[in-house]
Amino acid sequence: MLPALVVERLPRLVGAIRRLATRPLEEDEDIILADELAGVTAMVAEKFTNDRTAEGIQRAMYLTTGCVSLGLEDILSTDSDDAALDFLIEHGAEQAFKRGYGMIKELAALPEDTLVGEYDQDTVYAQRRLKEVFFDICYADPSQNWNGPDKYQTQLTHRKEVQAIVRAAAWLRRHHYEGPISDPDLNAEGVIALAIIFAIENTGRITARTGQKEFERLVASVRKNKPDYEEGWAKLLAQLPAQHQGIIADRIANYRETCTVIQKMRGRTALKTLFTELESYAGSELEADY
């Protein structure tokens, strides 16, 4: 069996610096670039590592390498090391660093999961989260392969999907039939679950939070009136802005097949059992009213 081929993929900055030795440069271009990189590294060491120790400086150098490389990957439309070097010489390493760091800030500002709490708005927590993402993606050993751009893109795609879910849930909260819900703690999946489950009553109203009494009323209504679930879901979707319809439609398709609360609603399952199962879908969006 032949060994797998290992493709070298060093940080883009490393490839650009390698080109310095193989092409003619204008006077002091290499020195200017070196000074810029040293200045950026010193700033990173002061803010993120420790500029008083050799280890801190080295960690800052690795972060600078990754962040500049991330910026170059986003700026350039080609894998050419010559193009990367041309950009660094013409525009400066700081410009590439700023682009990469801006991408990290954008990523860190997006929600990581669908459970949103008041602490997510805390500035201290936000700075800690930014630092964690910065280290996770931009820490790049110049002598090792680096997958920072792929990791960034994967996380960006995931977080934007989470953001779409959170925004859909926030819209449902604002249009709750009893009035907007302003609680800073949000279980986005729980809100969506309640809206879909209560939509089967086919009344057209939106439920984003509930308690046991209201759920018991729903069960009694469904068992007595036997509403058309599909019509109820269609009414819910019709009220949603276009940007939220896909999220809710996907959840409806899933719940239609898998939600035990919906499946058992018309049967003789005890209310206590149904409410216990509802808790697994709605989580913290259920209110204790008994």
Side-chain angles (χ1 to χ4, degrees):
M1 183 176 179
L2 294 175
L5 294 176
V6 178
V7 178
E8 184 179 62
R9 189 178 181 185
L10 298 176
R12 181 66 74 90
L13 176 61
V14 175
I17 290 175
R18 283 180 171 180
R19 299 299 295 157
L20 283 170
T22 63
R23 59 182 254 185
L25 298 171
E26 299 295 330
E27 183 178 357
D28 293 338
E29 284 180 338
D30 53 346
I31 296 175
I32 293 172
L33 178 57
D35 285 345
E36 287 181 345
L37 288 170
V40 173
T41 301
M43 180 273 295
V44 172
E46 180 181 0
K47 290 190 174 183
F48 293 99
T49 60
N50 187 338
D51 58 0
R52 299 179 185 276
T53 67
E55 181 183 359
I57 296 295
Q58 182 186 54
R59 286 161 63 84
M61 182 189 72
Y62 286 3
L63 289 168
T64 299
T65 298
C67 195
V68 170
S69 297
L70 184 66
L72 289 171
E73 292 281 354
D74 188 61
I75 291 166
L76 302 175
S77 58
T78 173
D79 291 336
S80 168
D81 290 335
D82 281 308
L85 181 56
D86 288 341
F87 180 88
L88 292 171
I89 289 174
E90 182 177 354
H91 300 283
E94 185 177 352
Q95 192 70 20
F97 179 88
K98 286 181 177 179
R99 175 67 71 90
Y101 191 67
M103 294 166 65
I104 295 299
K105 288 183 69 176
E106 174 192 355
L107 182 64
L110 295 172
E112 191 172 6
D113 58 54
T114 57
L115 294 173
V116 180
E118 188 173 7
Y119 65 88
D120 288 300
Q121 308 303 320
D122 182 81
T123 55
V124 174
Y125 174 78
Q127 286 299 314
R128 186 183 305 124
R129 183 171 55 189
L130 172 60
K131 183 176 180 179
E132 289 173 353
V133 174
F134 186 38
F135 271 77
D136 180 41
I137 292 176
C138 291
Y139 196 80
D141 185 335
S143 65
Q144 302 291 327
N145 282 353
W146 177 65
N147 67 341
D150 292 340
K151 184 181 288 187
Y152 169 82
Q153 195 57 55
T154 298
Q155 291 193 26
L156 181 64
T157 299
H158 167 72
R159 287 177 183 243
K160 283 188 173 181
E161 290 172 352
V162 170
Q163 183 183 53
I165 295 169
V166 169
R167 286 177 172 174
W171 188 94
L172 291 169
R173 272 190 164 191
R174 290 195 300 273
H175 294 82
H176 179 59
Y177 75 96
E178 288 186 320
I181 299 170
S182 58
D183 186 347
D185 292 329
L186 168 67
N187 179 339
E189 292 288 4
V191 169
I192 292 172
L194 287 176
I196 292 172
I197 291 170
F198 274 79
I200 66 176
E201 191 178 9
N202 198 8
T203 62
R205 74 180 192 179
I206 294 172
T207 299
R209 177 172 285 181
T210 196
Q212 187 169 345
K213 290 180 181 178
E214 178 61 14
F215 180 67
E216 289 178 356
R217 186 207 61 76
L218 169 70
V219 174
S221 173
V222 168
R223 289 178 173 176
K224 177 182 178 180
N225 300 316
K226 297 179 174 51
D228 186 315
Y229 291 2
E230 297 298 332
E231 285 187 7
W233 289 328
K235 287 180 181 178
L236 173 61
L237 288 173
Q239 297 178 72
L240 294 166
Q243 65 268 28
H244 302 319
Q245 289 178 356
I247 294 292
I248 306 304
D250 285 345
R251 293 302 185 278
I252 289 174
N254 178 268
Y255 279 27
R256 182 186 290 116
E257 303 296 329
T258 66
C259 181
T260 57
V261 176
I262 293 173
Q263 291 171 350
K264 297 176 182 179
M265 185 81 72
R266 283 179 173 162
R268 296 184 177 182
T269 304
L271 283 171
K272 182 177 180 181
T273 301
L274 282 175
F275 190 75
T276 299
E277 293 187 9
L278 180 68
E279 290 176 332
S280 67
Y281 290 97
S284 57
E285 298 302 328
L286 284 179
E287 295 178 325
D289 53 10
Y290 275 138

